[in-house]
Amino acid sequence: MSKIKIMNEILSNKIAAGEVVERSSSVVKELVENSIDANSDEIKVELIDSGVKEIKITDNGSGMEKEDALLAFSRHATSKLYNDDDLYHISSLGFRGEALPSIASVSETILKTSTGDVGTIITYKGGKLISTDNSDARRGTVITVKDLFYNTPARLKYLKSLNTELSLIVELINKLALSYPNIKFSLYNNEKKLFNSDGSNNLLKVVNEIYGLDVTKKMLHIIGENDDYDIEGFISYPEITRSTRNSIVTIVNGRIVKNIELNKIINDSYHTYKEESRYPIVVLKITVDPSIIDVNIHPAKQDIKFSKMEELKDLINNLITKKLSEVTFIRNVETKEKIIASNYEKPIFNLERTIDEHIVDSEQAVFDFEIKENTESYNEVEITKEKLPELYPIGVMRGTYIICQNENGLYLIDQHAAKERINYELYVKLLGNPNNNITDMLFPINIELPYNEYLIVNENKNILENLNFQIADFGINTITIKAHPTWLPSGYEEDAIRRIIDIIIMMNDKFNLEKFNERVAINLSCKLSIKANENISITEMENLIDDLKKCNNPFSCPHGRPTIIHFSNYELEKLFKRVL
Ligand code: ZN
Ligand code: ZN
């Protein structure tokens, strides 16, 4: 019996996204997804000239009988959907059965397929059936698409450079391999192997294939659930970042999803651990009952709608922030010697320093990396009570870096960044629970503002009052502060008040207390922290280190820059050639 049924009219209209066959990567996507739906566990993608000349996809899936294979080239045919209800509850990838006819209409397409019995080979060119024949019985499907867009020069022109097309395909295959670690993917362009996953169902191994060992060593495993969602995945150390969001991958029920809100909550969970302009590498698998998501809001854009978004965001945020808070991130300076052979065959030694993170705890547990065959046994980092080791300050370099030592080597602390972190955590706490300690000012502070800004501040007076500022109107355009919360450091009162007022004006009608407190804390902590070029005494250094130790995250300032870096004894000895 035919596996493929003709979709009814209503359903095909519902899939209103239209054809997405507009470039070689979209052809690869459609065809590979077909292979996945055919339960293949091995999929090979071979390209010639980034797929523009040829795309060949070989799978070991279920294959098709002749009748189905012929039907697959006609519109509105699909083996995956039967009725309206299936569309809503769909948890398989394919819901556009129209891709193959579209592809066949703009190329020469050869489909060779077999269920293990007699095979079939069908050739289409420019949408016309050229030939049908029997072929060998190897189970699976080989589909070859030649001369893509040969008869639609406008589309051919639309393609960017071959490199751009190829990079899109690499990204696609990478993401599919992350979604299906149980499938062995391989990708070739002009016979050069570009990617290969082993299908062993180990997500970390796929991460390793894509990003390499240096990144893989710095991925943390997270796992958790609530009533509706199960989450498992890997998040990078805050140090491992990229300039785009492309490496944040969310997979919902096996389907790659691009959802702005999910990307944002993942990125926000790294707040103050990394610089705002950088993005972490994250792969999250989300499993959910299909009835609480709507996959069909925009198939081409791969977006999805969640009916319990807030719960999902809380879960993701809690898992990531908890994991980050458990791990010790001290950047470890490593020196790599590169030997570059010159034309004269004389080696040139090129010192290259890379910053690396190192797990330090009481037992000196080092993140001992090993990709395990068993997905159950990912390396877990031990939770440490003391996040920083004992540090003994020696002095200050250029009024900027506190030099410390202990049995593990040399440490440099950026005194501004450290002080900033300490103040930041203090202000977050104080702003979150304002106490009633008020300092009356001998001389009230008058703040003059342009009238429009004055109006905004006047309108939002309660924000200042809730923080225990006492305000009196002085005259048109002027706000007079008579008393301020005691925690405002003396000498900086006016500056601090001005900064707080600036933030109120900036947020205006988009005011949100949590964000306001956060901005005030970052802003004041930076302003009120020791400036560079300020020499402090050994006792002050010790106090600073003690305060830093008490922080939730002593490793970075609120802007995400490091507070402390480490030169191990070994690295120093390497630099001085005491060891090889
Ligand atoms: Zn600063
Ligand atoms: Zn900073």
Side-chain angles (χ1 to χ4, degrees):
M1 204 188 101
S2 168
K3 267 191 270 172
I4 298 188
K5 296 180 187 177
I6 306 295
M7 281 202 290
N8 68 47
E9 203 60 37
I10 303 157
L11 181 55
S12 61
N13 286 340
K14 248 192 163 165
I15 304 172
E19 289 314 313
V20 285
V21 179
E22 52 184 20
R23 58 200 319 163
S24 47
S25 62
S26 45
V27 174
V28 173
K29 179 171 184 287
E30 296 297 334
L31 298 178
V32 172
E33 287 181 352
N34 279 343
S35 293
I36 293 168
D37 285 343
N39 293 317
S40 311
D41 56 26
E42 198 171 337
I43 300 170
K44 185 176 177 187
V45 179
E46 292 164 284
L47 311 171
I48 299 177
D49 293 349
S50 307
V52 178
K53 194 104 206 81
E54 187 179 303
I55 297 166
K56 184 179 174 191
I57 291 166
T58 308
D59 71 40
N60 65 351
S62 53
M64 284 181 274
E65 303 284 2
K66 185 174 212 157
E67 190 191 351
D68 284 339
L70 282 165
L71 206 51
F73 282 94
S74 68
R75 279 197 185 271
H76 307 309
T78 175
S79 60
K80 297 137 203 163
L81 287 177
Y82 301 111
N83 59 45
D84 206 58
D85 207 39
D86 286 344
L87 182 60
Y88 189 61
H89 291 288
I90 193 157
S91 52
S92 99
L93 284 166
F95 49 94
R96 275 161 282 145
E98 301 184 353
L100 193 56
S102 300
I103 294 165
S105 69
V106 292
S107 68
E108 181 182 345
T109 301
I110 303 152
L111 173 72
K112 186 167 158 290
T113 186
S114 170
T115 56
D117 214 0
V118 183
T120 305
I121 183 161
I122 298 169
T123 304
Y124 262 80
K125 189 168 184 182
K128 285 193 197 102
L129 178 64
I130 304 293
S131 65
T132 314
D133 216 333
N134 289 344
S135 80
D136 64 83
R138 177 201 161 272
R139 186 177 176 272
T141 299
V142 183
I143 187 156
T144 311
V145 176
K146 291 180 177 173
D147 300 322
L148 191 61
F149 306 136
Y150 79 98
N151 55 353
T152 50
R155 278 208 208 175
L156 194 59
K157 246 189 212 160
Y158 168 80
L159 295 181
K160 302 249 169 59
S161 71
L162 290 183
N163 275 337
T164 307
E165 295 302 319
L166 188 60
S167 76
L168 289 170
I169 295 173
V170 172
E171 192 186 331
L172 168 77
I173 299 297
N174 284 347
K175 289 187 173 174
L176 285 170
L178 289 169
S179 312
Y180 297 93
N182 56 319
I183 298 178
K184 182 172 162 27
F185 286 94
S186 55
L187 172 65
Y188 296 79
N189 185 50
N190 297 338
E191 292 181 357
K192 196 176 156 213
K193 188 191 262 186
L194 302 178
F195 178 78
N196 182 42
S197 66
D198 70 357
S200 66
N201 208 14
N202 183 328
L203 186 59
L204 195 59
K205 273 190 168 178
V206 184
V207 169
N208 187 44
E209 285 301 328
I210 298 171
Y211 297 105
L213 193 60
D214 285 348
V215 166
T216 310
K217 278 198 264 188
K218 290 163 191 165
M219 297 297 282
L220 299 163
H221 181 228
I222 60 168
I223 183 162
E225 57 175 37
N226 65 14
D227 288 345
D228 299 293
Y229 297 98
D230 281 311
I231 290 180
E232 180 167 11
F234 290 94
I235 65 169
S236 66
Y237 280 32
E239 175 63 17
I240 304 295
T241 55
R242 292 287 189 270
S243 60
T244 71
R245 287 180 177 82
N246 279 346
S247 295
I248 300 177
V249 181
T250 47
I251 300 154
V252 178
N253 292 353
R255 193 167 187 278
I256 301 159
V257 157
K258 275 186 191 158
N259 183 285
I260 293 168
E261 276 188 86
L262 287 188
N263 282 358
K264 188 173 180 322
I265 193 71
I266 290 168
N267 190 50
D268 287 353
S269 302
Y270 278 78
H271 182 58
T272 83
Y273 274 88
K274 58 162 189 66
E275 291 170 60
E276 287 297 316
S277 58
R278 306 283 302 176
Y279 301 92
I281 297 174
V282 171
V283 183
L284 283 192
K285 296 201 149 198
I286 301 168
T287 312
V288 57
D289 181 336
S291 68
I292 68 166
I293 53 174
D294 183 359
V295 292
N296 210 30
I297 55 170
H298 204 317
K301 281 196 176 155
Q302 307 162 296
D303 202 355
I304 207 169
K305 212 168 139 194
F306 299 88
S307 55
K308 293 195 177 175
M309 192 55 162
E310 289 311 309
E311 286 87 341
L312 176 59
K313 279 158 66 173
D314 283 349
L315 178 61
I316 291 173
N317 182 250
N318 291 340
L319 285 174
I320 296 178
T321 51
K322 183 167 177 290
K323 179 56 83 177
L324 292 177
S325 74
E326 287 169 2
V327 180
T328 298
F329 307 107
I330 295 183
R331 288 144 205 250
N332 200 28
V333 177
E334 269 180 19
T335 313
K336 282 183 190 159
E337 269 182 21
K338 260 192 187 170
I339 301 172
I340 299 165
S342 75
N343 291 339
Y344 307 101
E345 311 254 324
K346 235 198 286 170
I348 295 169
F349 289 92
N350 185 8
L351 279 186
E352 186 191 271
R353 260 161 303 147
T354 58
I355 296 238
D356 197 11
E357 271 128 43
H358 194 69
I359 308 290
V360 181
D361 73 11
S362 43
E363 281 134 45
Q364 272 300 104
V366 175
F367 196 89
D368 185 15
F369 181 71
E370 204 184 310
I371 300 173
K372 300 268 167 65
E373 287 298 325
N374 182 351
T375 42
E376 301 297 300
S377 54
Y378 293 120
N379 284 300
E380 283 304 320
V381 179
E382 286 200 18
I383 300 167
T384 56
K385 273 189 213 126
E386 280 281 305
K387 292 191 172 181
L388 289 181
E390 263 330 301
L391 295 167
Y392 305 96
I394 303 165
V396 186
M397 181 207 163
R398 296 176 61 204
T400 306
Y401 304 112
I402 301 171
I403 302 162
C404 304
Q405 64 173 332
N406 69 16
E407 67 282 6
N408 298 319
L410 173 77
Y411 296 79
L412 294 179
I413 295 175
D414 180 326
Q415 68 180 29
H416 172 79
K419 190 73 187 165
E420 213 174 41
R421 164 56 63 178
I422 296 160
N423 282 333
Y424 165 75
E425 291 199 8
L426 176 70
Y427 293 142
V428 167
K429 214 159 86 193
L430 289 168
L431 288 158
N433 329 275
N435 59 29
N436 292 320
N437 301 333
I438 293 178
T439 307
D440 284 312
M441 275 181 280
L442 214 48
F443 304 103
I445 295 172
N446 293 323
I447 302 206
E448 222 183 298
L449 296 163
Y451 193 61
N452 60 327
E453 295 186 355
Y454 168 82
L455 287 177
I456 295 169
V457 177
N458 217 11
E459 182 98 0
N460 294 291
K461 246 168 134 174
N462 63 314
I463 298 166
L464 289 169
E465 281 161 0
N466 290 341
L467 288 176
N468 285 323
F469 286 96
Q470 283 183 5
I471 307 162
D473 262 17
F474 192 68
I476 301 168
N477 294 8
T478 308
I479 288 162
T480 303
I481 310 279
K482 294 189 298 186
H484 64 75
T486 304
W487 56 263
L488 228 56
S490 59
Y492 291 100
E493 296 90 344
E494 182 164 352
D495 192 50
I497 293 164
R498 279 191 178 274
R499 281 163 182 270
I500 292 170
I501 285 177
D502 280 349
I503 295 168
I504 293 173
I505 293 166
M506 199 169 66
M507 294 186 93
N508 194 5
D509 51 354
K510 290 190 192 79
F511 186 84
N512 163 312
L513 186 62
E514 208 179 316
K515 282 196 179 130
F516 169 77
N517 287 348
E518 182 62 26
R519 279 197 192 164
V520 171
I522 292 183
N523 204 299
L524 293 190
S525 65
C526 183
K527 181 64 197 169
L528 307 175
S529 300
I530 328 165
K531 291 171 217 83
N533 305 313
E534 190 177 323
N535 284 303
I536 58 174
S537 69
I538 294 281
T539 316
E540 286 172 301
M541 292 176 214
E542 285 166 351
N543 292 339
L544 184 73
I545 292 166
D546 276 348
D547 289 343
L548 187 62
K549 272 189 182 171
K550 289 179 199 134
C551 288
N552 290 326
N553 168 16
F555 313 111
S556 57
C557 84
H559 306 95
R561 291 192 279 273
T563 55
I564 179 166
I565 60 174
H566 175 214
F567 294 77
S568 69
N569 291 324
Y570 176 71
E571 285 301 328
L572 291 169
E573 284 171 2
K574 236 164 65 179
L575 281 168
F576 285 107
K577 308 284 180 205
R578 286 164 171 263
V579 291
L580 286 173

